[in-house]
Amino acid sequence: MSVLTGRKLSRRTRELHALTEVAKTLTAQLTLPDLLDAVMSTLTDALDLAERGVIMLWDQSSGLFRPEAAVGFDLTIMREMGLRAGESITGKVYDDGHPRLLATAQEVEQDMADMRPANRAVRARAIGVDLLPRGALAVPLRVGERRFGVLMLETVHQPVRFAAEDLPFVQTLADLIALAVDRARLEIEMEAIRDARQADRLRSEVMATLSHELRTPLAAIKGYATALLLEEVNWPDEKRREFLQLIDDECDNLQRMIADILDSSMIDVGQLVIEPQPVRLPRLTREIAEEMQRRTDKHHIVVDFPPDFPIIDADPLRLKQVIRNILDNALKYSPHGGLVVIRGEVRPSDVVVSISDQGVGISPEDLIPLFEKYFRVKSPTGYHVPGTGLGLPVARGIIEAHRGRIWAESKVGQGTTLYFSVPCTGLSSDSAPYLASNEAGQL
Ligand code: ADP
């Protein structure tokens, strides 16, 4: 066997080995940067002439090439490089889509002559010396018409340089790398599409549920109004009053639901303004309790505030909304009636209001997402209680805008207590308007 044949054989064997290794690496379940890193190590190990190498990917958003993996370069330093389109060897190979074999130092120098000094300085720092390679081989990374970047291999010390016969092999490796980049990017795009679809589906579901919930009181209003308008029926006064009362109640329900939907959007965009002023919470609470008591004779609402309860600094309309939402739930979710107690407690720097019912209760798992938008406990009995799942998130938005806290305790079958705290003072003395914001669970 001649020396030449021997060299060729061992070279073929090495190429085949490198190809197998790179292909094996590319099938590993790694993230793209780790994958390219592993490929570069395999490649430079297998190819004696490739003493240094870097994979430069084109980044559309910055309009620059970004080093993704490197051997013989400090990748962290290389990332400071801002190689533009058409610049240096990488830019040219990417632009014309053809590999470049630079067999002499002069050819390398010529193709790198337009590299901006700042980039050249970064390159020198990344390899520890300002020395251009003796030879280089740069091949485009592309799949069909889709171009991703350039694989650049450099010979630094070896007396032998890359030759034309090295090209098919390196191009095959580059094609494998390009396929991996393509696959990873497709996966990212697919993920984004899946996320967008999921968000779309969720939005449609929410819209469908909200529309359905709004239609329930509307249907009742329409039904009673139509009944009252029937000319052939002469309703007794008592019946007329009852129907009008039901219409009035359902209008209140509708109003509350629409207010919650609007306020929830305002909270999401940070536009719910709190206007603090001195508030007598016991009196305000009693007003709401009386109003709600008129709606039910199954429940008995008790208000219990200590006599020395302080005047607090808060937005009375917004606090009314919070208490109404919580009290409304206390009645809705205790279908058999019972006692509902609203209690006030004074602490050194804040006040706490609790609203307890003897209703169906909430399980520990359902207490966790209780204040998330659109969350509603699935009723095991299938009995449907109208609601939007926005009452508590809106209450939380309002309370947090008062720098307070809201929380719940419950036992299934025994009842629920909702608590909220608000500081006694401090809101009015601040000049900035208070904006509620709801970061959790936005759609
Ligand atoms: P909804 O409009 O559904 O009442 P909320 O945000 O006010 O929306 O409440 C969310 C869910 O929390 C309700 O659907 C209900 O399942 C549960 N919940 C709230 N308050 C109570 C309560 N007092 N007792 C039992 N379950 C409650």
Side-chain angles (χ1 to χ4, degrees):
M1 194 192 284
S2 74
V3 174
L4 188 69
T5 325
R7 243 194 87 209
K8 270 196 174 161
L9 261 185
S10 66
R11 178 201 170 104
R12 286 267 150 72
T13 316
R14 278 210 311 272
E15 285 179 358
L16 205 61
H17 174 71
L19 261 176
T20 325
E21 287 303 304
V22 168
K24 250 196 276 174
T25 312
L26 288 173
T27 53
Q29 291 292 317
L30 297 173
T31 60
L32 188 63
D34 289 344
L35 203 80
L36 297 183
D37 226 29
V39 168
M40 279 310 283
S41 307
T42 315
L43 204 156
T44 42
D45 275 356
L47 268 178
D48 290 347
L49 291 179
E51 292 168 89
R52 270 200 308 250
V54 59
I55 293 174
M56 301 291 282
L57 295 186
W58 175 249
D59 176 30
Q60 189 64 40
S61 57
S62 62
L64 296 169
F65 288 96
R66 299 257 170 237
E68 273 296 329
V71 169
F73 293 92
D74 182 323
L75 195 58
T76 318
I77 298 177
M78 277 294 272
R79 290 208 171 104
E80 295 170 26
M81 192 182 270
L83 214 55
R84 288 184 192 153
E87 188 175 348
S88 192
I89 305 173
T90 299
K92 292 181 189 75
V93 169
Y94 183 82
D95 272 1
D96 63 27
H98 298 303
R100 241 162 231 247
L101 176 69
L102 305 168
T104 64
Q106 288 77 9
E107 283 175 17
V108 172
E109 178 72 54
Q110 199 177 335
D111 268 19
M112 289 179 75
D114 62 347
M115 193 183 212
R116 287 172 301 146
N119 287 337
R120 197 153 174 158
V122 172
R123 186 192 144 86
R125 273 199 294 124
I127 50 180
V129 46
D130 189 8
L131 202 68
L132 293 187
R134 289 168 157 218
L137 183 54
V139 285
L141 297 170
R142 59 193 296 173
V143 175
E145 290 305 300
R146 289 195 298 284
R147 295 181 297 168
F148 301 115
V150 173
L151 165 68
M152 171 92 176
L153 302 174
E154 299 180 0
T155 308
V156 191
H157 306 291
Q158 296 267 7
V160 190
R161 317 285 157 77
F162 287 109
E165 57 184 347
D166 293 310
L167 211 63
F169 164 67
V170 176
Q171 184 65 65
T172 309
L173 289 176
D175 291 346
L176 284 176
I177 295 171
L179 274 173
V181 175
D182 194 26
R183 193 187 62 196
R185 293 205 171 159
L186 275 176
E187 268 167 23
I188 292 169
E189 277 169 29
M190 289 305 292
E191 187 102 344
I193 292 172
R194 270 197 297 271
D195 285 355
R197 287 212 184 117
Q198 169 78 355
D200 244 18
R201 206 172 307 128
L202 223 65
R203 209 169 291 132
S204 303
E205 276 173 24
V206 163
M207 290 305 287
T209 314
L210 287 185
S211 313
H212 175 79
E213 293 302 328
L214 291 176
R215 217 185 272 147
T216 313
L218 206 58
I221 294 168
K222 171 84 182 149
Y224 293 123
T226 309
L228 285 173
L229 285 170
L230 285 174
E231 283 181 6
E232 56 275 34
V233 185
N234 196 3
W235 297 106
D237 275 357
E238 190 191 327
K239 234 6 181 194
R240 285 180 78 82
R241 246 208 92 66
E242 186 190 327
F243 283 7
L244 285 171
Q245 184 59 54
L246 287 164
I247 290 176
D248 193 49
D249 289 350
E250 293 299 352
C251 281
D252 286 349
N253 278 340
L254 209 52
Q255 219 162 19
R256 228 178 345 263
M257 284 182 183
I258 293 170
D260 281 344
I261 295 171
L262 287 177
D263 287 341
S264 170
S265 314
M266 299 283 264
I267 291 170
D268 282 350
V269 294
Q271 291 294 318
L272 189 84
V273 181
I274 298 297
E275 290 172 5
Q277 53 179 277
V279 174
R280 290 178 199 277
L281 205 48
R283 190 157 82 189
L284 179 146
T285 308
R286 271 186 208 104
E287 277 169 24
I288 305 167
E290 281 164 20
E291 167 200 316
M292 299 289 253
Q293 184 65 78
R294 283 197 285 276
R295 284 174 37 191
T296 171
D297 42 21
K298 281 191 292 188
H299 302 86
H300 180 50
I301 307 176
V302 176
V303 180
D304 176 22
F305 277 72
D308 59 344
F309 202 86
I311 292 175
I312 61 161
D313 197 18
D315 183 328
L317 291 181
R318 290 298 179 190
L319 281 195
K320 261 191 177 179
Q321 190 179 356
V322 170
I323 298 172
R324 212 179 261 127
N325 279 2
I326 298 175
L327 199 50
D328 188 45
N329 283 346
L331 303 186
K332 276 200 304 191
Y333 302 106
S334 46
H336 304 298
L339 199 61
V340 176
V341 181
I342 313 175
R343 193 164 276 135
E345 188 196 334
V346 187
R347 300 198 301 198
S349 60
D350 62 3
V351 295
V352 179
V353 175
S354 62
I355 300 170
S356 311
D357 62 55
Q358 296 177 316
V360 294
I362 304 166
S363 67
E365 314 85 81
D366 288 329
L367 276 177
I368 299 167
L370 195 68
F371 295 93
E372 276 173 24
K373 270 170 69 175
Y374 308 116
F375 174 76
R376 306 200 69 207
V377 177
K378 286 191 182 56
S379 158
T381 59
Y383 169 69
H384 181 73
V385 181
T388 55
L390 291 173
L392 292 183
V394 166
R396 183 182 67 172
I398 295 172
I399 292 300
E400 286 180 353
H402 280 83
R403 299 197 186 137
R405 271 190 354 99
I406 184 164
W407 68 101
E409 286 172 4
S410 189
K411 277 217 168 90
V412 175
Q414 292 186 20
T416 303
T417 304
L418 258 291
Y419 299 85
F420 69 85
S421 67
V422 272
C424 298
T425 52
L427 281 188
S428 303
S429 50
D430 244 307
S431 54
Y434 283 88
L435 296 174
S437 76
N438 178 6
E439 256 112 58
Q442 288 190 19
L443 274 177

